């Protein structure tokens, strides 16, 4: 296959459009910084807490609708061992946004935090909060790597462009516009990217459904034709694993800084809620084309195409089924449009991960721990350097597929089993303290390691009910073990927080052993939180206050 020159020209135009939008947004960011009296770092990381409602909806949706979203849904639908019922992402994401809007947005927005780690740092101190930041940073770096891997694979299939070149070019473009304008650049490029994702995918769908090599997907939904029905099934002995995957996607997303960056950039709690609810609907709609493409691929006689036999699944190429289907089941110009959707999805997720990790490092580590007296100009440079370092680290990891898989699993699991229970406790349970958080943190990590992971050949030392050999002969947990670990971690935090609170407040142990100073902090913190919430509520009700908040950044 020769290099697809027309496709390269189209992709070059796409990248120039994105880069131009990012540069324009960075110029707007500088204008806002000049007329605002607020913190320049806040303008860079949170767009001055004055992001437009529509832009906020687009950027939150685009962050979740990434390359993994589009390619993963198509892969699960096509895979004869899974099917559409395992293509979970759109539905759990609806739950993510509704829970985020109803419960998590209010305490985060009203306290005017800069990152999701701020409440940890304020209550637990720098040492413990630094340990808790680590899994969040790891997850973001590997988010960058995984999104680039998906784009590299897609471009190599459709454009016959070198995997290395496609990754490096995409990485450079995303890094440039992110470090130029911060959240302004990320948000406004997300608008363009989400429009491209929506239009491109839906343009491809009619061509896919009417191609001559596939039968009607309604006939193959529940009937074996070229492979197992694409709808798929969840057997009773697999229900625990399905539930575990669902909860991982639904609740794990609530422990990502990228989510709270959008919440905290809203001008009010009400706007943050509307942003969450509207984004949930967009995620559902944007998941439909990938399901249809996966269904068409499952309904295709690959022997009648130029791809031939064996099938993509038999060649172990199910993960690339979307670009393969576009390449062999649609006209060349349509396949190029389709890769535009994948590229847009990848860029929209990558820039979010870059800025998310830069936020955590610059605000919670550099500003609050390393150099508390750092000037605003210095912080701007720290943010830029952080973006570049994370971008380069994520890009480097794309060439170590197995290592990326290992750390990606660690990042996803830790967001759910470690960070989510920690976040719930610190936001909603005043009894939580550093002792409980430490025990919950260690408990979650230890149990997750001992539970094993077949994808990295880590055998389970703890075998939950239903643990057995899978189809590949690997010992696998079919019990919802990650959800169980999350619950155990949460209960450990609350139990040990309550016990240590009694021990020190009752004088059972000398105050000199109270490392986290809970005897002195507990009651004042509760009163201060009440005052903050009361003041924030009054601010929401007052139009004058709200106007002042949005115009003065």
């Amino acid at each position: 296959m020769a290099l697809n020159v027309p496709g390269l020209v189209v992709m070059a135009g796409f990248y120039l459009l994105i880069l131009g939008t990012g540069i324009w947004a960075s110029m707007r960011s500088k204008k806002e910084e000049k007329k605002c009296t607020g913190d320049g770092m806040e303008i860079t990381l949170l767009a001055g807490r004055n992001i437009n409602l529509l832009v906020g909806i687009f950027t939150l949706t685009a962050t979740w609708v990434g390359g993994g979203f589009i390619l993963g849904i198509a892969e699960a639908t096509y895979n004869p061992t899974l099917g559409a019922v395992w293509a979970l992402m759109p539905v759990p994401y609806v739950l993510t946004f509704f829970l985020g809007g109803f419960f998590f947005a209010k305490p985060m927005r009203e306290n005017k935090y800069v990152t999701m780690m701020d409440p940890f740092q304020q209550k637990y101190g720098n040492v413990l909060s630094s340990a808790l930041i680590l899994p969040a940073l790891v997850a973001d770096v590997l988010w960058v790597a995984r999104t680039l891997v998906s784009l590299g694979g897609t471009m190599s299939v459709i454009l016959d462009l070198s995997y290395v070149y496609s990754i490096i070019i995409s990485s450079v473009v995303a890094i440039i516009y992110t470090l130029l304008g911060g959240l302004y650049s990320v948000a406004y490029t997300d608008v363009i990217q989400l429009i491209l994702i929506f239009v491109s995918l839906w343009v491809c769908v009619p061509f896919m459904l009417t191609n001559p090599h596939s039968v009607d997907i309604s006939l193959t939904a529940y009937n074996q034709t070229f492979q197992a029905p694409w709808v798929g099934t969840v057997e009773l002995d697999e229900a625990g694993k399905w539930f575990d995957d669902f909860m991982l996607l639904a609740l794990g997303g609530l422990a990502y800084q990228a989510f709270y960056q959008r919440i905290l950039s809203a001008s009010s709690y009400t706007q943050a809620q509307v942003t969450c609810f509207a984004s949930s609907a967009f995620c559902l709609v944007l998941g439909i084309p990938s399901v249809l493409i996966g269904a068409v691929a499952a309904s295709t006689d690959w022997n009648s195409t130029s791809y031939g036999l064996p099938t993509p699944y038999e060649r172990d190429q199910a993960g690339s089924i979307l670009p393969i289907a576009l390449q062999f089941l649609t006209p060349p110009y349509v396949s190029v449009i389709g890769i535009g959707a994948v590229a847009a999805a990848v860029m929209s997720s990558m820039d979010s991960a870059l800025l998310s990790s830069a936020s955590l490092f610059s605000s919670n580590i550099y500003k609050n721990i390393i150099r508390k007296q750092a000037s605003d100009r210095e912080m701007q440079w720290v943010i830029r350097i952080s973006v570049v370092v994370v971008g380069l680290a994520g890009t480097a990891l794309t060439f170590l597929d197995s290592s990326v898989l290992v750390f990606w699993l660690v990042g996803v699991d830790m967001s759910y089993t470690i960070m989510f229970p920690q976040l719930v406790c610190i936001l909603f349970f005043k009894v939580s303290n550093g002792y409980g958080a430490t025990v919950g943190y260690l408990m979650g990590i230890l149990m997750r390691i001992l539970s094993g992971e077949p994808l990295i050949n880590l055998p389970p030392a703890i075998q939950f009910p239903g643990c057995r050999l899978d189809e590949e002969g690997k010992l696998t947990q079919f019990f919802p073990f990650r959800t169980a670990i999350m619950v155990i971690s949460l209960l450990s935090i609350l139990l040990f927080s309550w016990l240590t609170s009694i021990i020190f407040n009752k004088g059972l142990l000398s105050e000199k052993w109270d490392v986290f100073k809970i005897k002195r902090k507990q009651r004042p913190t509760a009163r201060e939180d009440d005052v903050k919430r009361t003041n924030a509520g009054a601010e929401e009700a007052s139009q004058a206050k709200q106007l002042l908040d949005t115009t003065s950044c």
Side-chain angles (χ1 to χ4, degrees):
M1 178 179 171
L3 188 66
N4 189 336
V5 177
L8 284 176
V9 172
V10 172
M11 290 306 298
F14 162 74
Y15 280 131
L16 288 174
L17 174 63
I18 295 300
L19 187 58
T21 304
I23 293 171
W24 170 82
S26 71
M27 294 168 62
R28 171 170 178 170
S29 175
K30 287 181 174 62
K31 289 180 181 178
E32 291 291 329
E33 195 169 344
K34 286 180 181 178
K35 70 180 184 180
C36 284
T37 58
D39 190 346
M41 186 174 75
E42 195 171 276
I43 295 170
T44 302
L45 299 181
L46 300 176
R49 301 189 193 271
N50 192 27
I51 201 77
N52 177 276
L53 174 60
L54 188 59
V55 174
I57 294 170
F58 272 71
T59 186
L60 180 58
T61 306
T63 299
W64 257 245
V65 181
F69 180 93
I70 292 174
L71 297 175
I73 292 173
E75 177 187 358
T77 304
Y78 164 72
N79 192 319
T81 65
L82 298 175
V85 293
W86 290 89
L88 293 170
M89 281 177 276
V91 179
Y93 287 172
V94 171
L95 184 59
T96 298
F97 292 137
F98 269 85
L99 289 174
F102 275 120
F103 299 106
F104 290 83
K106 188 169 185 177
M108 295 296 287
R109 183 63 188 83
E110 287 186 345
N111 285 290
K112 294 190 176 180
Y113 296 128
V114 176
T115 75
M116 75 171 187
M117 298 307 300
D118 284 356
F120 294 97
Q121 209 151 27
Q122 290 176 14
K123 191 169 185 179
Y124 298 158
N126 291 334
V127 176
L128 179 55
S129 61
S130 297
L132 292 169
I133 287 172
L134 184 60
L137 287 174
V138 170
D140 281 338
V141 172
L142 294 159
W143 189 353
V144 172
R146 294 307 298 172
T147 52
L148 286 174
V149 166
S150 63
L151 180 60
T154 302
M155 282 190 168
S156 63
V157 170
I158 294 180
L159 301 182
D160 199 31
L161 180 66
S162 167
Y163 176 86
V164 175
Y165 289 151
S166 62
I167 283 178
I168 291 176
I169 293 170
S170 304
S171 176
V172 168
V173 172
I175 290 172
I176 288 174
Y177 73 71
T178 303
L179 66 87
L180 282 177
L183 187 60
Y184 270 114
S185 290
V186 170
Y188 280 96
T189 53
D190 279 349
V191 173
I192 303 295
Q193 288 156 354
L194 196 65
I195 293 172
L196 283 170
I197 294 169
F198 181 84
V199 173
S200 300
L201 286 177
W202 281 107
V203 165
C204 295
V205 165
F207 290 93
M208 293 287 294
L209 291 172
T210 56
N211 87 84
H213 305 288
S214 306
V215 298
D216 190 337
I217 61 173
S218 64
L219 300 176
T220 58
Y222 299 99
N223 301 297
Q224 174 119 8
T225 309
F226 302 110
Q227 64 176 56
W230 60 264
V231 169
T233 58
V234 179
E235 301 296 336
L236 185 61
D237 59 356
E238 299 175 323
K241 190 174 186 303
W242 185 93
F243 176 77
D244 207 28
D245 290 346
F246 185 96
M247 297 304 291
L248 175 72
L249 292 169
L251 302 183
L254 292 170
Y256 273 106
Q257 162 63 13
F259 175 76
Y260 295 103
Q261 199 146 31
R262 274 72 188 162
I263 295 299
L264 295 169
S265 67
S267 61
S268 66
Y269 162 59
T270 303
Q271 181 177 321
Q273 273 197 317
V274 173
T275 300
C276 289
F277 301 154
S279 296
S280 65
F282 274 101
C283 279
L284 278 178
V285 173
L286 288 165
I288 295 172
S290 290
V291 172
L292 295 176
I293 291 172
V296 169
S299 308
T300 297
D301 178 9
W302 289 100
N303 194 35
S304 68
T305 70
S306 55
Y307 183 87
L309 293 177
T311 65
Y313 176 74
E314 292 168 338
R315 297 187 197 185
D316 199 25
Q317 293 183 334
S320 300
I321 193 59
L322 188 142
I324 290 172
L326 289 172
Q327 176 68 18
F328 294 97
L329 302 179
T330 64
Y333 63 91
V334 175
S335 65
V336 171
I337 294 173
I339 196 178
V342 177
V346 167
M347 301 282 276
S348 66
S349 290
M350 180 181 172
D351 55 23
S352 299
L354 289 174
L355 195 61
S356 171
S357 53
S359 303
L360 293 173
F361 177 79
S362 60
S363 178
N364 296 107
I365 296 178
Y366 192 87
K367 178 72 173 176
N368 291 348
I369 300 175
I370 299 176
R371 268 182 61 83
K372 295 182 179 181
Q373 72 276 23
S375 66
D376 193 61
R377 181 178 178 82
E378 182 179 343
M379 290 309 303
Q380 293 293 326
W381 278 106
V382 171
I383 293 169
R384 293 184 185 117
I385 293 171
S386 301
V387 168
V388 174
V389 170
V390 172
L392 293 177
T395 304
L397 286 172
T398 59
F399 306 111
L400 302 171
D401 288 346
S402 59
S403 296
V404 171
L405 179 59
V406 170
F407 288 108
W408 179 72
L409 286 169
V410 170
V412 171
D413 276 356
M414 288 188 108
S415 293
Y416 180 47
T417 58
I418 308 298
M419 291 308 301
F420 177 72
Q422 296 282 355
L423 198 61
V424 168
C425 288
I426 202 164
L427 291 179
F428 304 110
F429 295 93
K430 290 181 181 179
V431 71
S432 64
N433 58 45
Y435 301 104
T438 302
V439 172
Y441 183 71
L442 296 175
M443 183 79 73
I445 292 175
L446 183 62
M447 289 196 66
R448 183 61 191 94
I449 293 172
L450 294 177
S451 297
E453 179 52 61
L455 291 177
I456 58 174
N457 297 315
L458 180 65
I462 301 175
Q463 295 187 18
F464 290 87
C467 183
R468 63 182 187 275
L469 295 176
D470 62 10
E471 294 180 355
E472 297 179 356
K474 295 179 179 179
L475 199 58
T476 304
Q477 307 274 15
F478 284 86
F479 184 82
F481 72 102
R482 288 172 296 194
T483 300
I485 294 171
M486 183 273 291
V487 173
I488 291 170
S489 178
L490 189 147
L491 293 177
S492 298
I493 296 169
L494 297 179
L495 176 61
F496 281 90
S497 293
W498 176 70
L499 288 175
T500 52
S501 178
I502 291 176
I503 288 171
F504 287 111
N505 286 323
K506 297 289 186 182
L508 300 178
L509 267 182
S510 172
E511 193 172 333
K512 69 180 182 180
W513 296 100
D514 187 4
V515 178
F516 291 103
K517 311 297 181 187
I518 61 173
K519 187 172 182 180
R520 274 184 269 165
K521 285 183 178 179
Q522 199 167 26
R523 289 176 183 170
T525 299
R527 287 197 298 270
E528 286 167 11
D529 285 347
D530 290 340
V531 170
K532 284 181 182 178
R533 292 176 187 278
T534 303
N535 291 341
E539 183 180 328
E540 289 288 338
S542 170
Q543 294 295 325
K545 286 276 187 181
Q546 190 179 64
L547 180 61
L548 181 62
D549 183 46
T550 57
T551 56
S552 64
C553 299

